[in-house]
Amino acid sequence: MALKHEPTTPNHSAQDALRVLETVARHSTGVTDTDLARQTGLGTERLTPLLRMLRREGYVEQIADGAYVTGDALARLGSAHHREEALREKLQHTLDRLRDSVGAAVYISRYVDGEVTITQYADSPSTPAVNEWVDFRSSAHATALGKSLLGQLDHNGRRDHLSRHKMARLTSRTITSDKLLLSRLESQPPTVPHLDLQEYAVGTVCAAVPITAGSTAGCLALSLPVEHAHRLRQAADTLNRNAAPVLLSLAI
């Protein structure tokens, strides 16, 4: 099954960040922001926040003369030795910070071998994770993260998934019509977060944004108690704006 290759804001940011990292890596003694702008073709208004993010994530460092060199985080992820462990630690650190900035539990989900899988998440006593009362693998039609992942597949991929997983009614708000779900997925703009307004569980609302690395569909999601539903769209926008570091870690 094929992925639909429609651009999203996090993907563009991660691609630009990779271009900056590749340029920095070619200059072992350091490269100035002026030279970075010239060599990457990125304007100052775009390059400055990217460098700020890359410094915060530990991918680049500034040396005494103000030039940029590669940082420790890039060295750890770039090494084949213990890469899996380093990536997991890096993603967890990023998720923990995202959880605190959006004030919600956050999740990374990927579509692997035809199934929805949550690979990592960050919660806390004040931002509890969703109670998985129905296996997420069989409830993609009702969850924001499931709809985000299905939305990144082509039509045949979506049909294949729905043929293997019955669209059960989990709450009074759950969509159980495959025709209606497929129509909504098809018409959803790629940069607009998918929402779950008590479709999976009464008392919980969720949002998800796509983060596709390579040929595997992925997404970043958040959940909130329904009493915080008024914060959902703002939290989703914050999640979308801050998704690039997660995608960048997966792409390195």
Side-chain angles (χ1 to χ4, degrees), residues 226-249:
V226 70
E227 55 265 31
H228 292 283
H230 62 282
R231 294 203 295 114
L232 183 62
R233 291 188 183 276
Q234 183 179 1
D237 289 341
T238 302
L239 190 74
N240 199 30
R241 287 196 306 272
N242 291 277
V246 175
L247 185 53
L248 184 59
S249 296

Side-chain angles (χ1 to χ4, degrees), residues 56-57 93-106 122 124 127 220 222 224 231 234-243 245:
R56 185 183 67 236
E57 297 293 325
H93 179 72
T94 303
L95 287 178
D96 289 345
R97 190 168 58 240
L98 261 178
R99 173 201 62 207
D100 295 341
S101 64
V102 301
V106 293
S124 72
T127 56
L220 195 58
L222 65 84
L224 287 167
R231 294 203 295 114
Q234 183 179 1
D237 289 341
T238 302
L239 190 74
N240 199 30
R241 287 196 306 272
N242 291 277

Side-chain angles (χ1 to χ4, degrees), residues 50-64:
L50 281 174
L51 285 171
R52 189 183 306 122
M53 182 268 285
L54 290 170
R55 286 182 65 189
R56 185 183 67 236
E57 297 293 325
Y59 291 126
V60 301
E61 297 173 4
Q62 254 186 315
I63 53 180

